[in-house]
PDB file of all heavy atoms in Angstrom:
ATOM      1  N   HIS A 178      14.756-102.949 113.428  1.00  0.00           N
ATOM      2  CA  HIS A 178      14.022-104.057 112.803  1.00  0.00           C
ATOM      3  C   HIS A 178      13.138-103.565 111.652  1.00  0.00           C
ATOM      4  O   HIS A 178      12.220-102.769 111.861  1.00  0.00           O
ATOM      5  CB  HIS A 178      13.190-104.777 113.857  1.00  0.00           C
ATOM      6  CG  HIS A 178      12.574-106.056 113.359  1.00  0.00           C
ATOM      7  ND1 HIS A 178      13.250-106.963 112.572  1.00  0.00           N
ATOM      8  CD2 HIS A 178      11.346-106.584 113.529  1.00  0.00           C
ATOM      9  CE1 HIS A 178      12.463-107.981 112.285  1.00  0.00           C
ATOM     10  NE2 HIS A 178      11.297-107.772 112.847  1.00  0.00           N
ATOM     11  N   VAL A 179      13.425-104.054 110.448  1.00  0.00           N
ATOM     12  CA  VAL A 179      12.736-103.594 109.233  1.00  0.00           C
ATOM     13  C   VAL A 179      11.216-103.731 109.360  1.00  0.00           C
ATOM     14  O   VAL A 179      10.461-102.804 109.025  1.00  0.00           O
ATOM     15  CB  VAL A 179      13.235-104.385 108.000  1.00  0.00           C
ATOM     16  CG1 VAL A 179      12.419-104.021 106.766  1.00  0.00           C
ATOM     17  CG2 VAL A 179      14.713-104.131 107.762  1.00  0.00           C
ATOM     18  N   ASP A 180      10.751-104.877 109.846  1.00  0.00           N
ATOM     19  CA  ASP A 180       9.294-105.078 109.921  1.00  0.00           C
ATOM     20  C   ASP A 180       8.633-104.049 110.839  1.00  0.00           C
ATOM     21  O   ASP A 180       7.541-103.557 110.550  1.00  0.00           O
ATOM     22  CB  ASP A 180       8.976-106.503 110.392  1.00  0.00           C
ATOM     23  CG  ASP A 180       9.421-107.539 109.371  1.00  0.00           C
ATOM     24  OD1 ASP A 180       9.213-107.311 108.166  1.00  0.00           O
ATOM     25  OD2 ASP A 180      10.000-108.564 109.764  1.00  0.00           O
ATOM     26  N   GLU A 228      21.978-102.124 104.187  1.00  0.00           N
ATOM     27  CA  GLU A 228      20.633-101.918 103.632  1.00  0.00           C
ATOM     28  C   GLU A 228      20.464-100.532 103.017  1.00  0.00           C
ATOM     29  O   GLU A 228      19.547-100.319 102.218  1.00  0.00           O
ATOM     30  CB  GLU A 228      19.568-102.182 104.702  1.00  0.00           C
ATOM     31  CG  GLU A 228      19.717-103.567 105.294  1.00  0.00           C
ATOM     32  CD  GLU A 228      18.527-104.068 106.096  1.00  0.00           C
ATOM     33  OE1 GLU A 228      17.409-103.603 105.857  1.00  0.00           O
ATOM     34  OE2 GLU A 228      18.741-104.936 106.946  1.00  0.00           O
ATOM     35  N   ASN A 281      24.166-108.492 107.421  1.00  0.00           N
ATOM     36  CA  ASN A 281      23.307-109.067 108.475  1.00  0.00           C
ATOM     37  C   ASN A 281      24.121-109.824 109.516  1.00  0.00           C
ATOM     38  O   ASN A 281      24.841-110.767 109.186  1.00  0.00           O
ATOM     39  CB  ASN A 281      22.316-110.056 107.852  1.00  0.00           C
ATOM     40  CG  ASN A 281      21.146-109.359 107.210  1.00  0.00           C
ATOM     41  OD1 ASN A 281      21.328-108.576 106.284  1.00  0.00           O
ATOM     42  ND2 ASN A 281      19.951-109.641 107.676  1.00  0.00           N
ATOM     43  N   GLU A 290      13.302-111.568 117.429  1.00  0.00           N
ATOM     44  CA  GLU A 290      12.390-111.155 116.367  1.00  0.00           C
ATOM     45  C   GLU A 290      13.116-111.236 115.023  1.00  0.00           C
ATOM     46  O   GLU A 290      12.485-111.179 113.977  1.00  0.00           O
ATOM     47  CB  GLU A 290      11.918-109.707 116.576  1.00  0.00           C
ATOM     48  CG  GLU A 290      13.041-108.695 116.446  1.00  0.00           C
ATOM     49  CD  GLU A 290      12.647-107.257 116.729  1.00  0.00           C
ATOM     50  OE1 GLU A 290      11.447-106.973 116.878  1.00  0.00           O
ATOM     51  OE2 GLU A 290      13.564-106.418 116.810  1.00  0.00           O
ATOM     52  N   LYS A 291      14.452-111.351 115.060  1.00  0.00           N
ATOM     53  CA  LYS A 291      15.250-111.428 113.841  1.00  0.00           C
ATOM     54  C   LYS A 291      15.343-112.885 113.389  1.00  0.00           C
ATOM     55  O   LYS A 291      15.202-113.809 114.203  1.00  0.00           O
ATOM     56  CB  LYS A 291      16.650-110.851 114.086  1.00  0.00           C
ATOM     57  CG  LYS A 291      16.659-109.383 114.548  1.00  0.00           C
ATOM     58  CD  LYS A 291      16.498-108.407 113.408  1.00  0.00           C
ATOM     59  CE  LYS A 291      16.284-106.986 113.892  1.00  0.00           C
ATOM     60  NZ  LYS A 291      17.483-106.272 114.269  1.00  0.00           N
ATOM     61  N   LEU A 292      15.593-113.074 112.098  1.00  0.00           N
ATOM     62  CA  LEU A 292      15.367-114.387 111.485  1.00  0.00           C
ATOM     63  C   LEU A 292      15.997-115.562 112.250  1.00  0.00           C
ATOM     64  O   LEU A 292      15.300-116.512 112.616  1.00  0.00           O
ATOM     65  CB  LEU A 292      15.872-114.381 110.032  1.00  0.00           C
ATOM     66  CG  LEU A 292      15.659-115.717 109.303  1.00  0.00           C
ATOM     67  CD1 LEU A 292      14.179-116.006 109.097  1.00  0.00           C
ATOM     68  CD2 LEU A 292      16.387-115.721 107.959  1.00  0.00           C
ATOM     69  N   LEU A 295      14.796-116.268 115.829  1.00  0.00           N
ATOM     70  CA  LEU A 295      13.358-116.599 115.749  1.00  0.00           C
ATOM     71  C   LEU A 295      13.172-118.051 115.319  1.00  0.00           C
ATOM     72  O   LEU A 295      12.354-118.791 115.868  1.00  0.00           O
ATOM     73  CB  LEU A 295      12.661-115.662 114.747  1.00  0.00           C
ATOM     74  CG  LEU A 295      11.171-115.889 114.562  1.00  0.00           C
ATOM     75  CD1 LEU A 295      10.365-114.976 115.473  1.00  0.00           C
ATOM     76  CD2 LEU A 295      10.734-115.651 113.128  1.00  0.00           C
ATOM     77  N   PRO A 307       8.479-119.330 109.977  1.00  0.00           N
ATOM     78  CA  PRO A 307       7.897-118.494 108.927  1.00  0.00           C
ATOM     79  C   PRO A 307       8.956-117.950 107.967  1.00  0.00           C
ATOM     80  O   PRO A 307       9.889-117.263 108.368  1.00  0.00           O
ATOM     81  CB  PRO A 307       7.243-117.346 109.716  1.00  0.00           C
ATOM     82  CG  PRO A 307       8.028-117.250 110.984  1.00  0.00           C
ATOM     83  CD  PRO A 307       8.557-118.621 111.282  1.00  0.00           C
ATOM     84  N   ILE A 308       8.808-118.263 106.692  1.00  0.00           N
ATOM     85  CA  ILE A 308       9.699-117.726 105.671  1.00  0.00           C
ATOM     86  C   ILE A 308       8.876-116.808 104.774  1.00  0.00           C
ATOM     87  O   ILE A 308       7.857-117.238 104.209  1.00  0.00           O
ATOM     88  CB  ILE A 308      10.348-118.853 104.847  1.00  0.00           C
ATOM     89  CG1 ILE A 308      11.216-119.712 105.777  1.00  0.00           C
ATOM     90  CG2 ILE A 308      11.145-118.297 103.686  1.00  0.00           C
ATOM     91  CD1 ILE A 308      12.055-120.747 105.061  1.00  0.00           C
ATOM     92  N   TYR A 309       9.321-115.574 104.662  1.00  0.00           N
ATOM     93  CA  TYR A 309       8.585-114.601 103.858  1.00  0.00           C
ATOM     94  C   TYR A 309       8.714-114.926 102.364  1.00  0.00           C
ATOM     95  O   TYR A 309       9.822-115.209 101.878  1.00  0.00           O
ATOM     96  CB  TYR A 309       9.127-113.183 104.065  1.00  0.00           C
ATOM     97  CG  TYR A 309       9.038-112.621 105.479  1.00  0.00           C
ATOM     98  CD1 TYR A 309       9.806-111.517 105.834  1.00  0.00           C
ATOM     99  CD2 TYR A 309       8.186-113.167 106.434  1.00  0.00           C
ATOM    100  CE1 TYR A 309       9.739-110.970 107.112  1.00  0.00           C
ATOM    101  CE2 TYR A 309       8.107-112.631 107.706  1.00  0.00           C
ATOM    102  CZ  TYR A 309       8.885-111.545 108.050  1.00  0.00           C
ATOM    103  OH  TYR A 309       8.826-111.004 109.301  1.00  0.00           O
ATOM    104  N   ASN A 314      15.152-114.625  98.978  1.00  0.00           N
ATOM    105  CA  ASN A 314      15.875-113.375  99.265  1.00  0.00           C
ATOM    106  C   ASN A 314      17.246-113.713  99.846  1.00  0.00           C
ATOM    107  O   ASN A 314      17.376-114.618 100.673  1.00  0.00           O
ATOM    108  CB  ASN A 314      15.088-112.516 100.264  1.00  0.00           C
ATOM    109  CG  ASN A 314      13.720-112.170  99.725  1.00  0.00           C
ATOM    110  OD1 ASN A 314      12.871-113.052  99.609  1.00  0.00           O
ATOM    111  ND2 ASN A 314      13.514-110.931  99.356  1.00  0.00           N
ATOM    112  N   ARG A 316      20.816-112.635 101.782  1.00  0.00           N
ATOM    113  CA  ARG A 316      21.518-111.749 102.706  1.00  0.00           C
ATOM    114  C   ARG A 316      22.945-112.265 102.851  1.00  0.00           C
ATOM    115  O   ARG A 316      23.207-113.454 102.706  1.00  0.00           O
ATOM    116  CB  ARG A 316      20.838-111.741 104.093  1.00  0.00           C
ATOM    117  CG  ARG A 316      19.378-111.254 104.081  1.00  0.00           C
ATOM    118  CD  ARG A 316      19.315-109.773 103.786  1.00  0.00           C
ATOM    119  NE  ARG A 316      17.976-109.196 103.824  1.00  0.00           N
ATOM    120  CZ  ARG A 316      17.194-109.023 102.754  1.00  0.00           C
ATOM    121  NH1 ARG A 316      17.592-109.459 101.541  1.00  0.00           N
ATOM    122  NH2 ARG A 316      16.035-108.427 102.851  1.00  0.00           N
ATOM    123  N   TRP A 318      25.623-112.946 105.524  1.00  0.00           N
ATOM    124  CA  TRP A 318      25.576-113.125 106.987  1.00  0.00           C
ATOM    125  C   TRP A 318      26.969-113.043 107.606  1.00  0.00           C
ATOM    126  O   TRP A 318      27.908-113.677 107.120  1.00  0.00           O
ATOM    127  CB  TRP A 318      24.924-114.463 107.321  1.00  0.00           C
ATOM    128  CG  TRP A 318      23.468-114.472 106.944  1.00  0.00           C
ATOM    129  CD1 TRP A 318      22.929-114.900 105.763  1.00  0.00           C
ATOM    130  CD2 TRP A 318      22.379-113.971 107.728  1.00  0.00           C
ATOM    131  NE1 TRP A 318      21.558-114.710 105.773  1.00  0.00           N
ATOM    132  CE2 TRP A 318      21.193-114.147 106.966  1.00  0.00           C
ATOM    133  CE3 TRP A 318      22.266-113.409 109.005  1.00  0.00           C
ATOM    134  CZ2 TRP A 318      19.933-113.772 107.425  1.00  0.00           C
ATOM    135  CZ3 TRP A 318      21.014-113.036 109.468  1.00  0.00           C
ATOM    136  CH2 TRP A 318      19.866-113.219 108.691  1.00  0.00           C
ATOM    137  N   ASN A 351      17.317-117.048 102.256  1.00  0.00           N
ATOM    138  CA  ASN A 351      16.696-117.282 103.561  1.00  0.00           C
ATOM    139  C   ASN A 351      16.357-118.764 103.755  1.00  0.00           C
ATOM    140  O   ASN A 351      16.481-119.297 104.851  1.00  0.00           O
ATOM    141  CB  ASN A 351      15.443-116.416 103.715  1.00  0.00           C
ATOM    142  CG  ASN A 351      15.795-114.937 103.805  1.00  0.00           C
ATOM    143  OD1 ASN A 351      16.918-114.582 104.156  1.00  0.00           O
ATOM    144  ND2 ASN A 351      14.843-114.085 103.477  1.00  0.00           N
ATOM    145  N   ARG A 384       7.212-109.711 103.039  1.00  0.00           N
ATOM    146  CA  ARG A 384       7.388-108.362 103.582  1.00  0.00           C
ATOM    147  C   ARG A 384       7.155-107.347 102.466  1.00  0.00           C
ATOM    148  O   ARG A 384       7.598-107.558 101.336  1.00  0.00           O
ATOM    149  CB  ARG A 384       8.821-108.266 104.094  1.00  0.00           C
ATOM    150  CG  ARG A 384       9.273-106.880 104.470  1.00  0.00           C
ATOM    151  CD  ARG A 384      10.757-106.870 104.843  1.00  0.00           C
ATOM    152  NE  ARG A 384      11.001-107.418 106.156  1.00  0.00           N
ATOM    153  CZ  ARG A 384      12.218-107.671 106.652  1.00  0.00           C
ATOM    154  NH1 ARG A 384      13.289-107.447 105.913  1.00  0.00           N
ATOM    155  NH2 ARG A 384      12.372-108.151 107.856  1.00  0.00           N
ATOM    156  N   HIS A 387      10.152-105.955 100.048  1.00  0.00           N
ATOM    157  CA  HIS A 387      11.248-106.819 100.518  1.00  0.00           C
ATOM    158  C   HIS A 387      12.447-106.787  99.569  1.00  0.00           C
ATOM    159  O   HIS A 387      12.355-107.263  98.430  1.00  0.00           O
ATOM    160  CB  HIS A 387      10.697-108.250 100.620  1.00  0.00           C
ATOM    161  CG  HIS A 387      11.529-109.184 101.416  1.00  0.00           C
ATOM    162  ND1 HIS A 387      11.140-110.475 101.664  1.00  0.00           N
ATOM    163  CD2 HIS A 387      12.715-109.033 102.033  1.00  0.00           C
ATOM    164  CE1 HIS A 387      12.053-111.076 102.392  1.00  0.00           C
ATOM    165  NE2 HIS A 387      13.030-110.221 102.625  1.00  0.00           N
ATOM    166  N   TYR A 391      21.161-108.568  99.267  1.00  0.00           N
ATOM    167  CA  TYR A 391      22.256-107.725  99.740  1.00  0.00           C
ATOM    168  C   TYR A 391      23.542-108.536  99.615  1.00  0.00           C
ATOM    169  O   TYR A 391      23.565-109.740  99.898  1.00  0.00           O
ATOM    170  CB  TYR A 391      22.122-107.353 101.222  1.00  0.00           C
ATOM    171  CG  TYR A 391      20.847-106.659 101.645  1.00  0.00           C
ATOM    172  CD1 TYR A 391      20.270-106.950 102.878  1.00  0.00           C
ATOM    173  CD2 TYR A 391      20.231-105.695 100.855  1.00  0.00           C
ATOM    174  CE1 TYR A 391      19.116-106.314 103.311  1.00  0.00           C
ATOM    175  CE2 TYR A 391      19.077-105.060 101.282  1.00  0.00           C
ATOM    176  CZ  TYR A 391      18.522-105.371 102.507  1.00  0.00           C
ATOM    177  OH  TYR A 391      17.388-104.747 102.936  1.00  0.00           O
ATOM    178  N   TYR A 444       2.528-111.859 113.032  1.00  0.00           N
ATOM    179  CA  TYR A 444       2.277-113.180 112.478  1.00  0.00           C
ATOM    180  C   TYR A 444       0.859-113.678 112.714  1.00  0.00           C
ATOM    181  O   TYR A 444       0.512-114.795 112.334  1.00  0.00           O
ATOM    182  CB  TYR A 444       3.275-114.201 113.046  1.00  0.00           C
ATOM    183  CG  TYR A 444       4.721-113.851 112.737  1.00  0.00           C
ATOM    184  CD1 TYR A 444       5.563-113.357 113.712  1.00  0.00           C
ATOM    185  CD2 TYR A 444       5.230-113.996 111.446  1.00  0.00           C
ATOM    186  CE1 TYR A 444       6.876-113.029 113.434  1.00  0.00           C
ATOM    187  CE2 TYR A 444       6.543-113.672 111.151  1.00  0.00           C
ATOM    188  CZ  TYR A 444       7.362-113.181 112.153  1.00  0.00           C
ATOM    189  OH  TYR A 444       8.662-112.852 111.878  1.00  0.00           O
TER     190      TYR A 444
HETATM  191  P1  TYD B 716      15.832-109.835 109.414  1.00  0.00           P
HETATM  192  O1  TYD B 716      16.492-110.723 110.421  1.00  0.00           O
HETATM  193  O2  TYD B 716      14.591-109.110 109.833  1.00  0.00           O
HETATM  194  O3  TYD B 716      16.941-108.847 108.851  1.00  0.00           O
HETATM  195  P2  TYD B 716      16.866-107.778 107.605  1.00  0.00           P
HETATM  196  O4  TYD B 716      15.479-107.658 107.127  1.00  0.00           O
HETATM  197  O5  TYD B 716      17.346-106.543 108.270  1.00  0.00           O
HETATM  198  O6  TYD B 716      17.781-108.310 106.566  1.00  0.00           O
HETATM  199  O7  TYD B 716      15.449-110.697 108.156  1.00  0.00           O
HETATM  200  C1  TYD B 716      16.442-111.381 107.418  1.00  0.00           C
HETATM  201  C2  TYD B 716      15.755-111.984 106.206  1.00  0.00           C
HETATM  202  O8  TYD B 716      14.839-112.983 106.658  1.00  0.00           O
HETATM  203  C3  TYD B 716      14.923-110.974 105.434  1.00  0.00           C
HETATM  204  O9  TYD B 716      15.031-111.276 104.029  1.00  0.00           O
HETATM  205  C4  TYD B 716      13.509-111.208 105.901  1.00  0.00           C
HETATM  206  C5  TYD B 716      13.510-112.686 106.222  1.00  0.00           C
HETATM  207  N1  TYD B 716      12.603-113.114 107.311  1.00  0.00           N
HETATM  208  C6  TYD B 716      11.718-114.189 107.114  1.00  0.00           C
HETATM  209  O10 TYD B 716      11.693-114.789 106.023  1.00  0.00           O
HETATM  210  N2  TYD B 716      10.904-114.569 108.143  1.00  0.00           N
HETATM  211  C7  TYD B 716      10.911-113.906 109.344  1.00  0.00           C
HETATM  212  O11 TYD B 716      10.114-114.273 110.250  1.00  0.00           O
HETATM  213  C8  TYD B 716      11.823-112.820 109.551  1.00  0.00           C
HETATM  214  C9  TYD B 716      11.871-112.073 110.847  1.00  0.00           C
HETATM  215  C10 TYD B 716      12.659-112.457 108.498  1.00  0.00           C
END
Side-chain angles (χ1 to χ4, degrees):
H178 189 42
V179 174
D180 294 318
E228 304 195 25
N281 281 61
E290 66 184 351
K291 301 279 171 81
L292 181 67
L295 180 94
I308 297 188
Y309 298 163
N314 301 69
R316 299 290 183 265
W318 293 93
N351 292 338
R384 170 185 284 172
H387 196 176
Y391 303 143
Y444 300 106

